[in-house]
Amino acid sequence: MFWNSLVSEWMKVRKSSLWFLIPVGPLLGLLLGWLNVHTGETHPDAQGQAEVHDWLWMYPQMLGTYAVLFLPLVAGVYASLLCRFEHLNGGWKQLLALPVSRSTLYLTKLVYLLGMLALTQFLWLAGVLIFGLCLQVEGSIPWTELGKSGFSGWLTLVPLAALQLWVATVWKNFGLPFALNVILAIPGMLLLNAEKYRVYYLWSQPYLGMSPTHGGILNLAPISFWLVLGGSLVLVAAGWTHFVKRDVQH
Amino acid sequence: MSEMVIQTQQLTRRYGRQVSVADVNLQVPQGSIYGFLGPNGAGKTTTIRMLLGLIRPTSGRVRLFNQDLEKNRISVLRRVGSLVESPSYYGHLTGTENLKVIARLLGVCDQHVAEVLDLVRLTQAANKQVKGYSLGMKQRLGIAAALLGSPDLLILDEPTNGLDPAGIQEIRELILEMPKQHGITVLVSSHLLSEIEQMATQVGIINEGKMIFQGPMDDLRRQSRPQLVLETERPQDVRNFLQDQGWSVTLEDGLLSLPNADFETSAGVNRELVMAGFSVYRMREVKPSLEDIFLDLVGKGVSL
């Protein structure tokens, strides 16, 4: 049954404009990252002009805007778009009157949301690689660090995505979830330099998880890691149960 | 007594203080076309949503095919096709693709998609995006989707809403075929009696959340008792005269009417008036239309 539901959803997703949106986050992130590398602080060894040295110097410089802002935002946009198929023309009442469990339908949406976020991360890393190769960055490519950064960023997005999916199934309006998303992302930005507090805020985690460090679990402090796992469980469960129990009016 | 496909027991739904559906006992016999009638906002759609498990009753239960809906939602819904209010569709997909999305979830083979499209005469437009469909085509696509799982029960909520007369006629013909050719029981709701009148075998009338009439269409027709209407000189005097004689008579717009039009009454009244010297200009039998009865029932409901 779950497989049928995934295939059914695929037929809707395949022909949608979602695909054009997926590269937008990584591309904007790369653009701002590139600006940052060129105008930002210079390498400690460099004299005068900014110089690009090795990968692990360049990568954190590029990461900021993408991980703090774009990633959480695209999670919300994807969630809204996935639910828009049904919100637009009375799809929920048709879908939920079919002999399919509501859990199956909710988890299908979640799988697609997380899948699209994984694809986004993949595009981001591919973009970083191309960018680095074009700039002829010194040294060998740090595959492990980049892979860990991509995966950890994805994992830290799970609780955010779960909340966004919950909101997107309830709110027909496209702007409301987006506004909520922005409002929740801003403290994440402000907390970036507050090392004491940022480990406790869910919206700061994608940046922390994606920044290559040598400690922690997947770049995360243990408290952050457990916060992400716990937050994922709670928010997935909340959105799921609400979806299963709610009245379908539209 | 034929078997009931839909049975609700004291079905009730409240929104805060407002009672949207109150103690409704729906009885839909197998093989019937059940017309579910009521003015807009009477509780039809809320009831239908409860039949499909889209919203939960505050109290009472729904039984479909003699099974409790809440306990056997999925196995029961496998036998139900539905179309609730405005048509549901994915605008960016073609008609065929729309149905394939549903066919997958129903576990129905794609071959069946072409069959139902043909049944609702959408084969020509099957490969066009649905956002370009007319309302009537979207509504027919919705019916095709409802038929996709080869249901035993079809629940159609206002399927002709917003359609032009030709579209209404087309949907009506489709519905009429269902019990005859496919053995499907149909529940169809409407706020217009005239739409239901020509196809329903059973009727349920709901108003302000309460069921005010339920039974065979013929029973409703039987309620249209003919009246005797008289046109005479000096109608007020005639009324007083007849009332003194013990007839129950009312006067409205210069016309006198009696609630009974059998031979005995007609002959009796006529004889009395002539003997008393009143000129009788006209005597006729008036039969209220079904619409009058419907409005009368609904009106009574309002005054309650």
Side-chain angles (χ1 to χ4, degrees):
Chain A
M1 191 67 250
F2 194 65
W3 174 248
N4 277 339
S5 178
L6 286 177
V7 176
S8 171
E9 189 72 16
W10 173 247
M11 293 192 254
K12 292 178 244 168
V13 173
R14 190 182 49 177
K15 298 245 174 148
S16 80
S17 47
L18 260 169
W19 299 114
F20 301 104
L21 267 161
I22 291 183
V24 170
L27 280 177
L28 283 175
L30 282 171
L31 182 72
L32 288 168
W34 173 71
L35 286 174
N36 208 30
V37 166
H38 269 261
T39 61
E41 52 184 285
T42 52
H43 192 279
D45 293 344
Q47 305 276 321
Q49 270 208 320
E51 242 178 86
V52 176
H53 280 244
D54 59 3
W55 287 91
L56 286 180
W57 172 80
M58 181 194 79
Y59 187 63
Q61 303 257 2
M62 297 185 66
L63 195 60
T65 332
Y66 174 70
V68 176
L69 193 62
F70 294 143
L71 258 190
L73 287 189
V74 296
V77 172
Y78 295 165
S80 291
L81 286 174
L82 278 171
C83 293
R84 207 171 146 77
F85 297 134
E86 274 73 27
H87 278 314
L88 264 188
N89 296 300
W92 290 120
K93 58 187 160 68
Q94 186 175 56
L95 196 61
L96 299 182
L98 292 173
V100 183
S101 81
R102 289 194 186 186
S103 297
T104 300
L105 297 170
Y106 193 75
L107 292 180
T108 300
K109 296 273 184 206
L110 187 64
V111 164
Y112 273 89
L113 177 55
L114 295 181
M116 279 161 30
L117 288 171
L119 186 61
T120 307
Q121 286 294 74
F122 185 78
L123 287 178
W124 159 256
L125 288 179
V128 168
L129 280 177
I130 294 169
F131 182 76
L133 291 174
C134 289
L135 284 185
Q136 295 182 308
V137 177
E138 290 164 19
S140 55
I141 298 170
W143 292 107
T144 320
E145 280 80 2
L146 288 183
K148 203 161 107 178
S149 165
F151 178 75
S152 185
W154 177 81
L155 186 75
T156 50
L157 275 175
V158 174
L160 278 56
L163 176 72
Q164 289 298 322
L165 184 62
W166 180 9
V167 170
T169 54
V170 178
W171 284 340
K172 199 174 179 173
N173 184 304
F174 200 82
L176 277 174
F178 192 77
L180 177 77
N181 212 348
V182 173
I183 289 168
L184 289 168
I186 288 171
M189 251 189 292
L190 300 176
L191 282 174
L192 270 193
N193 295 317
E195 283 193 35
K196 246 187 182 173
Y197 302 107
R198 65 184 188 185
V199 289
Y200 300 108
Y201 191 60
L202 274 179
W203 274 256
S204 300
Q205 302 314 316
Y207 177 74
L208 299 178
M210 286 188 77
S211 303
T213 57
H214 295 291
I217 311 165
L218 289 164
N219 303 329
L220 293 170
I223 178 73
S224 295
F225 180 75
W226 295 112
L227 181 74
V228 166
L229 281 196
S232 304
L233 277 179
V234 168
L235 290 167
V236 167
W240 181 355
T241 19
H242 184 239
F243 186 77
V244 168
K245 289 193 170 162
R246 68 188 255 230
D247 285 341
V248 183
Q249 305 285 7
H250 298 290
Chain B
M1 190 71 193
S2 56
E3 200 151 305
M4 293 298 162
V5 172
I6 303 177
Q7 262 179 311
T8 66
Q9 289 152 12
Q10 307 293 113
L11 196 62
T12 302
R13 173 69 208 218
R14 278 188 216 101
Y15 289 99
R17 275 194 183 169
Q18 199 206 335
V19 183
S20 178
V21 173
D23 297 325
V24 166
N25 296 310
L26 212 61
Q27 304 267 345
V28 179
Q30 192 174 10
S32 64
I33 295 180
Y34 185 100
F36 192 32
L37 273 170
N40 288 326
K44 296 188 300 283
T45 297
T46 306
T47 305
I48 286 176
R49 282 173 192 268
M50 286 193 279
L51 295 180
L52 295 169
L54 288 173
I55 62 180
R56 273 159 218 272
T58 309
S59 62
R61 31 187 73 253
V62 175
R63 289 179 74 78
L64 300 181
F65 308 105
N66 264 323
Q67 285 182 301
D68 190 84
L69 176 68
E70 212 172 329
K71 287 184 198 133
N72 311 288
R73 196 179 77 92
I74 298 205
S75 66
V76 162
L77 287 182
R78 196 167 289 286
R79 301 174 64 185
V80 180
S82 64
L83 174 70
V84 180
E85 275 186 315
S86 57
S88 304
Y89 58 91
Y90 301 111
H92 69 297
L93 302 181
T94 67
T96 307
E97 287 165 346
N98 262 273
L99 294 181
K100 280 185 178 170
V101 165
I102 295 164
R104 257 291 167 172
L105 289 171
L106 289 169
V108 169
C109 67
D110 283 356
Q111 198 191 343
H112 204 55
V113 167
E115 285 170 26
V116 289
L117 276 171
D118 188 49
L119 195 68
V120 298
R121 290 178 280 275
L122 275 179
T123 310
Q124 294 258 310
N127 295 317
K128 290 193 183 110
Q129 282 195 332
V130 173
K131 62 182 161 201
Y133 279 22
S134 70
L135 184 61
M137 288 161 84
K138 285 173 186 160
Q139 202 72 306
R140 265 146 56 204
L141 183 70
I143 292 183
L147 290 170
L148 200 53
S150 311
D152 297 318
L153 168 65
L154 202 54
I155 295 179
L156 305 172
D157 187 16
E158 302 265 1
T160 52
N161 219 356
L163 297 187
D164 57 19
I168 292 174
Q169 182 62 27
E170 206 164 346
I171 301 259
R172 187 183 292 144
E173 279 165 15
L174 261 173
I175 292 173
L176 276 170
E177 282 170 24
M178 293 302 145
K180 280 185 220 149
Q181 298 197 1
H182 312 279
I184 302 175
T185 306
V186 186
L187 179 137
V188 52
S189 82
S190 178
H191 61 281
L192 295 172
L193 178 71
S194 52
E195 273 180 10
I196 299 285
E197 193 180 347
Q198 296 166 45
M199 51 188 181
T201 55
Q202 298 278 319
V203 234
I205 300 178
I206 190 170
N207 189 43
E208 297 196 322
K210 296 193 186 85
M211 207 62 154
I212 51 179
F213 176 88
Q214 181 169 244
M217 194 72 191
D218 292 338
D219 283 7
L220 187 65
R221 289 211 177 88
R222 230 166 273 143
Q223 292 213 357
S224 58
R225 290 234 315 261
Q227 292 182 310
L228 183 66
V229 175
L230 299 177
E231 227 176 309
T232 63
E233 61 170 342
R234 294 181 287 136
Q236 293 213 336
D237 294 344
V238 171
R239 182 189 59 184
N240 296 340
F241 170 74
L242 283 176
Q243 277 175 347
D244 289 345
Q245 302 279 318
W247 301 95
S248 101
V249 58
T250 52
L251 175 62
E252 206 175 301
D253 298 333
L255 293 176
L256 295 148
S257 57
L258 287 94
N260 203 338
D262 56 25
F263 289 162
E264 222 170 289
T265 312
S266 313
V269 167
N270 190 29
R271 184 169 51 236
E272 304 268 7
L273 290 181
V274 171
M275 303 247 284
F278 289 107
S279 303
V280 177
Y281 305 141
R282 204 170 274 154
M283 274 185 106
R284 60 196 158 98
E285 185 187 294
V286 170
K287 214 173 167 180
S289 70
L290 270 180
E291 202 67 44
D292 292 335
I293 300 165
F294 175 49
L295 290 175
D296 200 34
L297 278 170
V298 170
K300 266 183 212 158
V302 172
S303 66
L304 287 172

